[in-house]
Amino acid sequence: MEFEAYGRKVEVIHGDITKVEADAIVNAANEGLRGGGGVDGAIHRAGGGAIMAECRKIGRCPTGSAVITTAGRLPARYVIHAVGPIWRGGNSGEPELLRSAYETSLRLAKEHGLKSIAFPSISTGAYGFPLEKACPIAIKAVLDHLAGKTSLERVIFVLFTKDDYETYVNQARDLLSGRAS
Ligand code: ADP
């Protein structure tokens, strides 16, 4: 499903982010940038050792922030490793930290002059952030970024399950009412 916001494209797709051709794909990383399961494992497996080599040089990334590396063998040019919060019930700053992980990723993309970026649903897998709460935070952070001056022309949300995809489409429709195409 494709939407338009501030003259830019916002796409919601059901699929595997390691297959997406974009200037950058975002990884749902951990503070140690060590790789792991879920989307993180899939990105390192598909992209090869060059990504981990750069992660090791960088070292760590605090929750709510993000760092950028090569994308190795992936069809993207860069991987932005964003660290979302672990869900601890919702009163430990999780919404703000999640928004900050998206904002930092978008800022890095802009600083590198990138035109397209693809996001997975950060924190909603192993980190336990409820998807229905995370989804509007993700979409609003993107819309607020697109409302300002940015190099980005296309933002893609890549959802791995059909249920998550449908939640995102409905939420994007609500937040962009009248602008769906
Ligand atoms: P976190 O630790 O931040 O919760 P996870 O990787 O466990 O990260 O889950 C984040 C989201 O990524 C989940 O919704 C999961 O379904 C999704 N996911 C897993 N593999 C992929 C993939 N290859 N492409 C896109 N999304 C994926």
Side-chain angles (χ1 to χ4, degrees), residues 15-17 28 37-40 42 120-128 158 160-161 164:
D16 177 351
I17 201 165
V39 69
D40 201 352
S121 178
I122 299 168
S123 282
T124 65
Y127 279 8
V158 185
F160 204 51
T161 70
D164 291 357

Side-chain angles (χ1 to χ4, degrees), residues 79-149:
V79 174
I80 294 174
H81 304 264
V83 184
I86 297 170
W87 180 258
R88 294 195 164 89
N91 294 317
S92 303
E94 296 94 330
E96 294 77 14
L97 288 165
L98 185 64
R99 180 172 167 103
S100 172
Y102 280 95
E103 283 175 346
T104 313
S105 303
L106 292 159
R107 205 181 314 127
L108 276 174
K110 176 182 158 180
E111 282 167 11
H112 284 75
L114 306 187
K115 292 189 172 160
S116 56
I117 186 171
F119 284 99
S121 178
I122 299 168
S123 282
T124 65
Y127 279 8
F129 204 121
L131 185 100
E132 62 285 359
K133 290 190 168 69
C135 169
I137 293 171
I139 296 175
K140 281 182 196 156
V142 164
L143 295 182
D144 289 349
H145 180 86
L146 294 180
K149 194 168 153 32

Side-chain angles (χ1 to χ4, degrees), residues 29-34 40 59-65 82-84 86 127:
N30 50 61
E31 286 193 332
L33 303 174
R34 294 179 310 274
D40 201 352
R60 294 182 66 76
C61 176
T63 299
S65 193
V83 184
I86 297 170
Y127 279 8

